[in-house]
Amino acid sequence: MVDSSHIEFAAEAMTEYDRRSELEGFDSTKAGVKGLVDAQSTKIPRIFVHNELKLEDNSSHGNCQSNVPVIDFAGVNENPDSRSEITNRVREACETWGFFQIVNHEVPVTVMDEMIDAVRRFHEQDIEVKKQFYSRDVTKKFYYNSNFDLYQTSAANWRDTISCILAPDQPDPEELPAVCREILLEYSKHVTKLGQTLFELLSEALGLKPGYLKDIGCTEGLFLVGHYYPACPEPELTLGTSNHTDSGFLTLLIQDQVGGLQVLHQNQWIDVPPLHGAVLVNVADLLQLITNDKFKSVNHRVPAKRVGPRISVASFFRTHFGEGSEQRIYGPIKELISEENPQIYREIFTKDYLSLYYKKGLDGTSPLSYFKLLK
Ligand code: OGA
Ligand code: NI
């Protein structure tokens, strides 16, 4: 009698083997997804195919009834009445959506546009120059690659990315590519300042003193990524960015006018319409952990599109690998725990959280579930 389970096992091992070598083949081109598009492929390689999309119920997409809140920050640092109104709206958004857009935030729109343009310039420059920056060494100050989790996930994303560590130590300008050197440093100054305001408001929204979150190190690390989503010939088979929650405390995102980001709200994927000049803010995992689930790190994703490229720039307030601060311990803030609100998570080292995030890749599950206290 033929042992069919054995044959199935062999077939599975074979697909696994093929996948690994196809991933390596793609990786070794150092040309990313843009390289595939430039070669005018009309089919996407199978390493990019997301089988789960074939099973998805498309009826729950793009509900226009509700939208991510837009908060006007005019007067936030000058007018106490405006500030308390803004704080209330921030609190509400963090509790219900985990996402909000800010207008009148003092980051010059010209700087935002130039930042997006610089990401485009990097990805569209001469491949030979670009290749020199291709790396998977996450301790580098600046690198470019396609899919940071290429070898961890079951399906790759239709996206290339530049990554840059901007704080706690500013990179030496020489380490940054000429096409985006100046604007990376300029943009990060504005993001740092807006981040400081945001962490004050978040502290106040939690009933803590304004400097609380800064004092425990939430603003120390800044990690920036610039995504380039090329046009995709078979968008229904893949994703630009898989369903995920963000690492770190808080993310500030700017995007061009193509659009595509979706937020999971009340079990529906809601489109976040591009609003020129707005900064999108979202709660990330460590903020959910320290607020003991008061603020929500919400799932989001970017479908692939037939049109492109689309560009976005995400700035994560978060420390990175190889920095002293990754030794810090975080747990739910004592002031937020009570008999009605018992502690949900244990205390963790940021390095344990980050290692887990990188090890599992973007697979739609929250790393936070690993840190829950046993009941
Ligand atoms: C991210 C992210 C969304 C986008 O970088 O974590 O969710 O619109 N990006 O590119
Ligand atoms: Ni994200």
mmCIF file of all heavy atoms in Angstrom, residues 159 225 227 229 241 244-246 251 253-255 260-261 300-302 310-314 316 357, ligand 1:
data_model
loop_
_atom_site.group_PDB
_atom_site.id
_atom_site.type_symbol
_atom_site.label_atom_id
_atom_site.label_comp_id
_atom_site.label_asym_id
_atom_site.label_seq_id
_atom_site.Cartn_x
_atom_site.Cartn_y
_atom_site.Cartn_z
ATOM 1 N N ARG A 159 6.178 45.595 -2.448
ATOM 2 C CA ARG A 159 6.673 46.857 -1.871
ATOM 3 C C ARG A 159 8.178 46.809 -1.635
ATOM 4 O O ARG A 159 8.714 45.784 -1.242
ATOM 5 C CB ARG A 159 5.960 47.058 -0.522
ATOM 6 C CG ARG A 159 6.467 48.154 0.358
ATOM 7 C CD ARG A 159 5.715 48.195 1.702
ATOM 8 N NE ARG A 159 6.466 47.566 2.773
ATOM 9 C CZ ARG A 159 6.167 46.422 3.374
ATOM 10 N NH1 ARG A 159 5.088 45.743 3.017
ATOM 11 N NH2 ARG A 159 6.920 45.931 4.326
ATOM 12 N N VAL A 225 10.719 54.740 7.869
ATOM 13 C CA VAL A 225 10.717 53.910 6.663
ATOM 14 C C VAL A 225 10.019 54.648 5.521
ATOM 15 O O VAL A 225 9.033 55.349 5.750
ATOM 16 C CB VAL A 225 10.037 52.520 6.883
ATOM 17 C CG1 VAL A 225 10.776 51.694 7.920
ATOM 18 C CG2 VAL A 225 8.572 52.646 7.243
ATOM 19 N N HIS A 227 8.252 53.826 2.027
ATOM 20 C CA HIS A 227 7.764 52.722 1.184
ATOM 21 C C HIS A 227 7.523 53.179 -0.252
ATOM 22 O O HIS A 227 7.026 54.281 -0.492
ATOM 23 C CB HIS A 227 6.420 52.190 1.709
ATOM 24 C CG HIS A 227 6.468 51.662 3.108
ATOM 25 N ND1 HIS A 227 7.281 50.623 3.488
ATOM 26 C CD2 HIS A 227 5.777 52.023 4.226
ATOM 27 C CE1 HIS A 227 7.086 50.361 4.783
ATOM 28 N NE2 HIS A 227 6.179 51.200 5.252
ATOM 29 N N TYR A 229 5.466 51.548 -3.408
ATOM 30 C CA TYR A 229 4.567 50.477 -3.848
ATOM 31 C C TYR A 229 4.403 50.574 -5.360
ATOM 32 O O TYR A 229 3.588 51.379 -5.839
ATOM 33 C CB TYR A 229 3.183 50.643 -3.213
ATOM 34 C CG TYR A 229 3.119 50.563 -1.689
ATOM 35 C CD1 TYR A 229 3.250 51.708 -0.894
ATOM 36 C CD2 TYR A 229 2.880 49.347 -1.050
ATOM 37 C CE1 TYR A 229 3.157 51.636 0.499
ATOM 38 C CE2 TYR A 229 2.781 49.273 0.328
ATOM 39 C CZ TYR A 229 2.925 50.413 1.094
ATOM 40 O OH TYR A 229 2.819 50.336 2.466
ATOM 41 N N THR A 241 1.094 45.957 1.761
ATOM 42 C CA THR A 241 1.554 45.653 3.123
ATOM 43 C C THR A 241 0.510 44.762 3.781
ATOM 44 O O THR A 241 -0.675 45.105 3.806
ATOM 45 C CB THR A 241 1.742 46.933 3.975
ATOM 46 O OG1 THR A 241 2.749 47.757 3.372
ATOM 47 C CG2 THR A 241 2.199 46.603 5.388
ATOM 48 N N HIS A 244 -1.288 44.152 9.800
ATOM 49 C CA HIS A 244 -0.343 44.189 10.934
ATOM 50 C C HIS A 244 -0.705 45.292 11.918
ATOM 51 O O HIS A 244 -1.522 46.163 11.620
ATOM 52 C CB HIS A 244 1.080 44.442 10.420
ATOM 53 C CG HIS A 244 1.278 45.843 9.888
ATOM 54 N ND1 HIS A 244 0.786 46.248 8.666
ATOM 55 C CD2 HIS A 244 1.879 46.935 10.424
ATOM 56 C CE1 HIS A 244 1.079 47.517 8.474
ATOM 57 N NE2 HIS A 244 1.741 47.969 9.523
ATOM 58 N N THR A 245 -0.067 45.259 13.066
ATOM 59 C CA THR A 245 -0.060 46.409 13.965
ATOM 60 C C THR A 245 1.379 46.901 13.999
ATOM 61 O O THR A 245 2.291 46.173 13.607
ATOM 62 C CB THR A 245 -0.504 46.016 15.398
ATOM 63 O OG1 THR A 245 0.357 44.962 15.862
ATOM 64 C CG2 THR A 245 -1.949 45.551 15.432
ATOM 65 N N ASP A 246 1.585 48.151 14.436
ATOM 66 C CA ASP A 246 2.940 48.717 14.368
ATOM 67 C C ASP A 246 3.742 48.432 15.629
ATOM 68 O O ASP A 246 3.203 48.348 16.733
ATOM 69 C CB ASP A 246 2.874 50.234 14.148
ATOM 70 C CG ASP A 246 2.493 50.578 12.714
ATOM 71 O OD1 ASP A 246 2.376 49.673 11.881
ATOM 72 O OD2 ASP A 246 2.305 51.784 12.443
ATOM 73 N N THR A 251 3.115 55.900 15.688
ATOM 74 C CA THR A 251 3.583 56.057 14.307
ATOM 75 C C THR A 251 2.987 57.319 13.703
ATOM 76 O O THR A 251 1.803 57.595 13.883
ATOM 77 C CB THR A 251 3.139 54.851 13.451
ATOM 78 O OG1 THR A 251 3.550 53.654 14.094
ATOM 79 C CG2 THR A 251 3.735 54.908 12.055
ATOM 80 N N LEU A 253 2.498 58.974 9.961
ATOM 81 C CA LEU A 253 2.609 58.572 8.562
ATOM 82 C C LEU A 253 2.161 59.673 7.610
ATOM 83 O O LEU A 253 1.159 60.347 7.861
ATOM 84 C CB LEU A 253 1.765 57.308 8.319
ATOM 85 C CG LEU A 253 1.865 56.738 6.900
ATOM 86 C CD1 LEU A 253 2.441 55.329 6.903
ATOM 87 C CD2 LEU A 253 0.539 56.753 6.181
ATOM 88 N N ILE A 254 2.931 59.867 6.546
ATOM 89 C CA ILE A 254 2.463 60.746 5.473
ATOM 90 C C ILE A 254 2.397 59.910 4.195
ATOM 91 O O ILE A 254 3.152 58.950 4.029
ATOM 92 C CB ILE A 254 3.368 61.989 5.285
ATOM 93 C CG1 ILE A 254 4.823 61.607 4.998
ATOM 94 C CG2 ILE A 254 3.297 62.882 6.518
ATOM 95 C CD1 ILE A 254 5.720 62.814 4.671
ATOM 96 N N GLN A 255 1.471 60.256 3.328
ATOM 97 C CA GLN A 255 1.301 59.483 2.105
ATOM 98 C C GLN A 255 1.025 60.417 0.938
ATOM 99 O O GLN A 255 0.583 61.543 1.126
ATOM 100 C CB GLN A 255 0.155 58.472 2.262
ATOM 101 C CG GLN A 255 -1.185 59.085 2.655
ATOM 102 C CD GLN A 255 -2.343 58.089 2.636
ATOM 103 O OE1 GLN A 255 -2.339 57.121 1.891
ATOM 104 N NE2 GLN A 255 -3.345 58.326 3.466
ATOM 105 N N GLY A 260 -4.589 54.099 -0.415
ATOM 106 C CA GLY A 260 -4.554 52.643 -0.363
ATOM 107 C C GLY A 260 -4.545 52.090 1.055
ATOM 108 O O GLY A 260 -4.905 50.940 1.274
ATOM 109 N N LEU A 261 -4.142 52.919 2.020
ATOM 110 C CA LEU A 261 -4.106 52.413 3.395
ATOM 111 C C LEU A 261 -5.521 52.102 3.891
ATOM 112 O O LEU A 261 -6.447 52.871 3.664
ATOM 113 C CB LEU A 261 -3.447 53.464 4.306
ATOM 114 C CG LEU A 261 -3.407 53.154 5.795
ATOM 115 C CD1 LEU A 261 -2.577 51.918 6.095
ATOM 116 C CD2 LEU A 261 -2.846 54.345 6.568
ATOM 117 N N HIS A 300 -3.918 47.290 10.392
ATOM 118 C CA HIS A 300 -4.062 48.019 9.138
ATOM 119 C C HIS A 300 -3.286 47.303 8.041
ATOM 120 O O HIS A 300 -2.485 46.416 8.319
ATOM 121 C CB HIS A 300 -3.629 49.480 9.309
ATOM 122 C CG HIS A 300 -2.266 49.676 9.912
ATOM 123 N ND1 HIS A 300 -2.000 49.475 11.253
ATOM 124 C CD2 HIS A 300 -1.089 50.029 9.364
ATOM 125 C CE1 HIS A 300 -0.726 49.717 11.492
ATOM 126 N NE2 HIS A 300 -0.140 50.054 10.360
ATOM 127 N N ARG A 301 -3.535 47.683 6.802
ATOM 128 C CA ARG A 301 -2.888 47.022 5.660
ATOM 129 C C ARG A 301 -2.957 47.932 4.430
ATOM 130 O O ARG A 301 -3.668 48.942 4.440
ATOM 131 C CB ARG A 301 -3.595 45.707 5.357
ATOM 132 C CG ARG A 301 -4.992 45.928 4.800
ATOM 133 C CD ARG A 301 -5.652 44.625 4.348
ATOM 134 N NE ARG A 301 -6.893 44.910 3.624
ATOM 135 C CZ ARG A 301 -7.706 43.981 3.165
ATOM 136 N NH1 ARG A 301 -7.441 42.704 3.370
ATOM 137 N NH2 ARG A 301 -8.795 44.311 2.497
ATOM 138 N N VAL A 302 -2.227 47.559 3.404
ATOM 139 C CA VAL A 302 -2.283 48.301 2.139
ATOM 140 C C VAL A 302 -2.471 47.294 1.006
ATOM 141 O O VAL A 302 -1.576 46.489 0.738
ATOM 142 C CB VAL A 302 -0.975 49.107 1.902
ATOM 143 C CG1 VAL A 302 -1.067 49.896 0.594
ATOM 144 C CG2 VAL A 302 -0.672 50.039 3.078
ATOM 145 N N ARG A 310 2.891 54.155 -5.451
ATOM 146 C CA ARG A 310 2.389 54.906 -4.318
ATOM 147 C C ARG A 310 3.549 55.022 -3.328
ATOM 148 O O ARG A 310 4.319 54.075 -3.156
ATOM 149 C CB ARG A 310 1.227 54.175 -3.641
ATOM 150 C CG ARG A 310 0.862 54.783 -2.289
ATOM 151 C CD ARG A 310 -0.283 54.049 -1.618
ATOM 152 N NE ARG A 310 -0.622 54.708 -0.370
ATOM 153 C CZ ARG A 310 -0.245 54.289 0.832
ATOM 154 N NH1 ARG A 310 0.457 53.185 0.963
ATOM 155 N NH2 ARG A 310 -0.596 54.957 1.914
ATOM 156 N N ILE A 311 3.641 56.186 -2.680
ATOM 157 C CA ILE A 311 4.726 56.393 -1.720
ATOM 158 C C ILE A 311 4.163 56.810 -0.377
ATOM 159 O O ILE A 311 3.208 57.591 -0.300
ATOM 160 C CB ILE A 311 5.714 57.448 -2.267
ATOM 161 C CG1 ILE A 311 6.444 56.825 -3.457
ATOM 162 C CG2 ILE A 311 6.735 57.884 -1.215
ATOM 163 C CD1 ILE A 311 6.931 57.791 -4.447
ATOM 164 N N SER A 312 4.755 56.265 0.684
ATOM 165 C CA SER A 312 4.370 56.687 2.032
ATOM 166 C C SER A 312 5.621 56.677 2.901
ATOM 167 O O SER A 312 6.588 55.979 2.604
ATOM 168 C CB SER A 312 3.300 55.750 2.606
ATOM 169 O OG SER A 312 3.850 54.475 2.816
ATOM 170 N N VAL A 313 5.582 57.477 3.954
ATOM 171 C CA VAL A 313 6.722 57.559 4.872
ATOM 172 C C VAL A 313 6.193 57.407 6.293
ATOM 173 O O VAL A 313 5.365 58.213 6.746
ATOM 174 C CB VAL A 313 7.450 58.922 4.731
ATOM 175 C CG1 VAL A 313 8.627 58.996 5.688
ATOM 176 C CG2 VAL A 313 7.907 59.149 3.294
ATOM 177 N N ALA A 314 6.637 56.370 6.983
ATOM 178 C CA ALA A 314 6.190 56.134 8.360
ATOM 179 C C ALA A 314 7.349 56.405 9.307
ATOM 180 O O ALA A 314 8.474 55.957 9.070
ATOM 181 C CB ALA A 314 5.711 54.694 8.519
ATOM 182 N N PHE A 316 8.395 55.820 13.151
ATOM 183 C CA PHE A 316 8.011 55.073 14.351
ATOM 184 C C PHE A 316 8.764 55.609 15.558
ATOM 185 O O PHE A 316 10.003 55.622 15.545
ATOM 186 C CB PHE A 316 8.361 53.583 14.198
ATOM 187 C CG PHE A 316 7.754 52.925 12.987
ATOM 188 C CD1 PHE A 316 8.524 52.665 11.861
ATOM 189 C CD2 PHE A 316 6.416 52.562 12.965
ATOM 190 C CE1 PHE A 316 7.972 52.056 10.743
ATOM 191 C CE2 PHE A 316 5.854 51.947 11.852
ATOM 192 C CZ PHE A 316 6.635 51.700 10.738
ATOM 193 N N TYR A 357 8.814 40.655 17.030
ATOM 194 C CA TYR A 357 8.188 41.344 15.887
ATOM 195 C C TYR A 357 8.910 40.976 14.594
ATOM 196 O O TYR A 357 8.294 40.671 13.580
ATOM 197 C CB TYR A 357 8.240 42.854 16.113
ATOM 198 C CG TYR A 357 7.322 43.643 15.203
ATOM 199 C CD1 TYR A 357 6.011 43.927 15.580
ATOM 200 C CD2 TYR A 357 7.761 44.102 13.962
ATOM 201 C CE1 TYR A 357 5.168 44.662 14.756
ATOM 202 C CE2 TYR A 357 6.927 44.830 13.127
ATOM 203 C CZ TYR A 357 5.628 45.108 13.532
ATOM 204 O OH TYR A 357 4.797 45.827 12.704
HETATM 205 C C1 OGA B 1 3.782 50.810 8.111
HETATM 206 C C2 OGA B 1 2.485 51.021 7.426
HETATM 207 C C3 OGA B 1 1.212 52.052 5.690
HETATM 208 C C4 OGA B 1 1.363 52.754 4.396
HETATM 209 O O1 OGA B 1 4.830 51.213 7.553
HETATM 210 O O2 OGA B 1 3.766 50.257 9.209
HETATM 211 O O3 OGA B 1 1.495 50.587 7.937
HETATM 212 O O4 OGA B 1 0.431 53.453 4.015
HETATM 213 N N1 OGA B 1 2.456 51.715 6.274
HETATM 214 O O5 OGA B 1 2.394 52.587 3.746
#
